[in-house]
Amino acid sequence: MKAIRFHEFGAPHVLRYEEAPTPVTKPGEVLVRVKAAGLNPPDWYLREGYKALPPEWRPSVTFPAIPGSDVSGIVEKVADDVTAFSVGDEVFGMIRFPSFGESLGYAEYVSAPASDLAAKPRHLDHIHAAAVPMSGLTAWQFLIELGHNEQNPLQSERHSPVPLAGKSVMINGAAGGVGHLALQLAKH
Ligand SMILES: NC(=O)c1ccc[n+]([C@@H]2O[C@H](COP(=O)([O-])OP(=O)(O)OC[C@H]3O[C@@H](n4cnc5c(N)ncnc54)[C@H](OP(=O)(O)O)[C@@H]3O)[C@@H](O)[C@H]2O)c1
């Protein structure tokens, strides 16, 4: 298959459009023919080698790496033990986040754990669907679901959701990737 990979950390020029092995579908996984991939900050943190983190926190990355956690596409194949999806289903999702050098979505195919995928809403095309998972989950988890069970070492406060019914919600940066989804969730 064709994929966008990088063999070393660096600026966008390290990304190469090249031949790569089509991923093998393991138990519990679904092979997705990628129609669109989203771009999120962790894709470039990975590409740059997490240089904003202190060296002792930087994860080790396997090269060559294919970035792209967020995808939308069509199910090409399902492992024998997967019952949730069938060949031809349209799906989207955030795949194996966080991962450090695995084969992700900037490729013709990605093999994804079935639990990382959901049925793509019919009224969303693949390009819009691929833009939703990470920023949508960020807004969903902060606003609606429980936050971290364990305190994030980068933040002093533990996240805890507050019931929104009857409340006014102020969203700073409501035109941004996370903000416009947080706005719609709060309104809903
Ligand atoms: N994207 C994700 O999946 C994700 C996941 C986890 C956490 N986060 C975090 O969530 C935050 C937002 O990320 P994003 O991806 O949504 O970024 P984004 O698309 O760049 O959106 C940022 C928004 O903030 C606005 N903004 C910037 N500076 C501001 C200021 N001084 N006062 C008020 N508004 C300001 C921007 O407005 P203008 O466009 O007018 O500049 C933009 O609407 C970041 O801290 C990011 O690290 C993002």
Side-chain angles (χ1 to χ4, degrees), residues 40-41 45 134-135 138 172-179:
N40 287 283
Y45 302 156
M134 185 175 292
S135 45
T138 300
N172 195 18
V178 177

Side-chain angles (χ1 to χ4, degrees), residues 39-42 44-45 70 94 97 131-139 142 155 171-181:
L39 173 61
N40 287 283
W44 73 76
Y45 302 156
D70 280 6
M94 181 174 82
F97 182 79
V132 170
M134 185 175 292
S135 45
L137 282 167
T138 300
F142 271 69
Q155 295 171 333
I171 295 170
N172 195 18
V178 177
H180 81 295
L181 292 161

